[in-house]
Amino acid sequence: MSESKVLRRIEQLRKEIEEHNHKYYVQAKPSISDYDFDMLLEELIKLEKEHPEYATDDSPTQRVGGTITKEFKSVKHTYPMLSLGNTYSEDELRDFDERVRKGLDHEYEYVCELKFDGVAIGLTYKEGKLVQAVTRGDGVQGDDVTANVKTIRSIPLTLHGKNYPEDFEIRGEILMPRSSFNKINKEIEKQMIEDGYDEEEIADRLLKNPRNAAAGTIKMQDSKVVGSRGLDCFLYAMYGKNLSFESHLDAMKAASTWGFKISEHTKKCKSIEDVIKYLEHWDKARFDLPYDTDDVVIKVNSFEQQNELGFTAKSPRWAIAYKFKSESVSTILEEITYQVGRTGAITPVANLKAVFLAGSTVRRATLHNADQIEKLDLRIGDTVYVEKGGEVIPKITGVDLKKRNKNSEPVVYVKKCPDCGTKLERKEGEVQHYCPNITGCPTQIKGRIEHFISRRAMNIDSLGEGKIEMLFDNGLIHNPADLYNLKYENIIGLEKVIENEEGGKPKKISLQEKSVQKILKGIEESKEVAFERVLYAMGIRYVGETVAKKLALHFKSLDAISKATVAELVEAEEIGEKIAASIVEFFSIKTNIQFVNELKKAGLNMEIALDRMPSKLSNKFEGMSFVVSGTFTNFSRDEIKMLIEQHGGKNQSGVSAKTSFLLAGEKAGDSKLEKAQKLNVKVISEDDFEKMLKGK
Ligand code: IVH
């Protein structure tokens, strides 16, 4: 292709891709298949790579992200970002209307819009191109998050049409639709379950609500991650010199023709009665929206009248927010059941009489632990209040004591494991009860084996929940290591009927020649899996994928990890006391040592691969000893330690008179710095270290 043809094709692709983005993300009317869209985008990415001279800031390829922002630049708002006054009742709303009436000498109209629950953003466009996106911050200045905002597909990078102002700001709300929110939480939950966290810890880590999630996402450092989190943006206000619109609605209509996403639920209301009708409608209908709203914003439509009314110190006199009451329903607590996790943690679950709440039917609510039940003084048969609040899983907020049956008794928390009958334990200072029968409780055993074979662990995908249960029921496996003793003749022909919990047809699994071969092959192949994944697969509490990687890199072998003390373990990056204690406990149990030995015997990798071991690269640090403390920009702490060894140096854990250098990163330990000063040990930075590395 000639240069001019390339440029023309690039421009044509950009236009076409942005049109498709607009149709899909703004108008919700896709006109191309995902596959065809990806093909167009791929072609553009390829052309821009081959011709970097034609790359531009507003190309749709920018939406993929990839920019890392370490620190967001603080930017002063051209127009301060104010907040809105609130009303909580019809009476308060009528008071507002009264104030508006008194402030104006003409008839007026309102515009009602949904108040989107996300983070406010100001977008500046110059000559039709998005040049800056700034968060609200303290209202006077906010953070420049332009690179992240560019990944949001519904925000135009280049405006449509021609009649937009040369320089203006448009403000709106970045939000996370419930579908994106649920998807991310499901992923987090699945991973944490696999890593052995209990329900309470998972609840702690999950995104609390779409608003927090949107706020957290927009301040992430890696715009690629932002681009993957499915954010959306509605616009609701325009600012600029000499804007030619007479009313808010006119401005929004124009903005819509330039490609912005304006809510289709924005409505003109001629009187406060109309406003109240709008509120009544959305009080219920808001639960059918794909995103969260708990307020409505009521604005005087005419700009002239807005100016007449003006502002108080904090908010406009021409607008107000109306807050819906958070919905709570009452229902009957029918039963409390208890779930056993793979680490033995017990979680109580409230089984409720089905009730419709905030858009869905609720049958269960989490109770977290025994304390929670006691605090609420729950009794079976109680009429309880259930609320969704900002959280995903409904919770019980109280009991209707008037409806309580006089003969009811407080709930007695289970004393024995609902699965194996062993007496439950609760360690001092912990809220959770545990089934201590680690080696005998079927749910725990099966859970551990399922974790062991999971994709990110040993990845034996020819086995699944049903087959594991079948092998367990037939007495063929008691722990994950038994998988390596399975023989063709023991498993061929095994059968199991699996009941369908939803009441559908039961499923029958039976092991025939082909599936037996597949299972044995999968088990055999798992012997090649890298050490860090074997370590993760073992199911040590709190040793998730990342922790396993860090441990593997730091200690290099299972032998070293199993012998390490808590003090030695916390030396490794990201390993805290809690994780360290859990590892030490794991290796203090005889059956665990046996289990590990069986895995060793089966031939699994128990050391980090040779190519990741430090091999000698030079002698430049010969005779030098280093203490590495803090965090670094270009390397992880373990990478630095590896480099030191690769170049002939030694790592020490504490500063002593023999230390040659204290390599101090950000947040280096104060006591180490003090000691270095006292002993005259030279303190060097990451920069100094890199210079030393590059030296002869
Ligand atoms: S109008 C002068 N309209 O609410 C203030 N705000 O409490 C003009 N918000 O920071 C704001 N949806 O983040 C307006 N349809 C809407 C809104 C909305 C959400 C947020 C916005 C603002 C806050 C004000």
Side-chain angles (χ1 to χ4, degrees), residues 531-533 535 546-557 561 607-608 612 638:
F531 168 54
E532 58 266 32
R533 278 172 54 194
L535 181 58
T546 319
V547 168
K549 266 190 208 142
K550 302 272 174 192
L551 285 168
L553 208 58
H554 187 95
F555 290 99
K556 320 249 169 4
S557 74
I561 296 173
E607 281 176 6
I608 195 155
R612 296 179 63 191
D638 280 319

Side-chain angles (χ1 to χ4, degrees), residues 68 70 550 573 628 630-641 643 663-666 685-691 693-694:
I68 306 283
K70 283 259 152 75
K550 302 272 174 192
E573 214 173 328
V628 186
T631 57
F632 301 88
T633 322
N634 294 329
F635 306 97
S636 76
R637 201 158 61 222
D638 280 319
E639 275 169 341
I640 290 192
K641 287 187 177 173
L643 281 168
L663 173 45
E666 212 180 299
S685 67
E686 185 178 3
D687 250 16
D688 298 333
F689 178 73
E690 278 186 73
K691 277 188 201 131
L693 260 185
K694 281 188 199 128

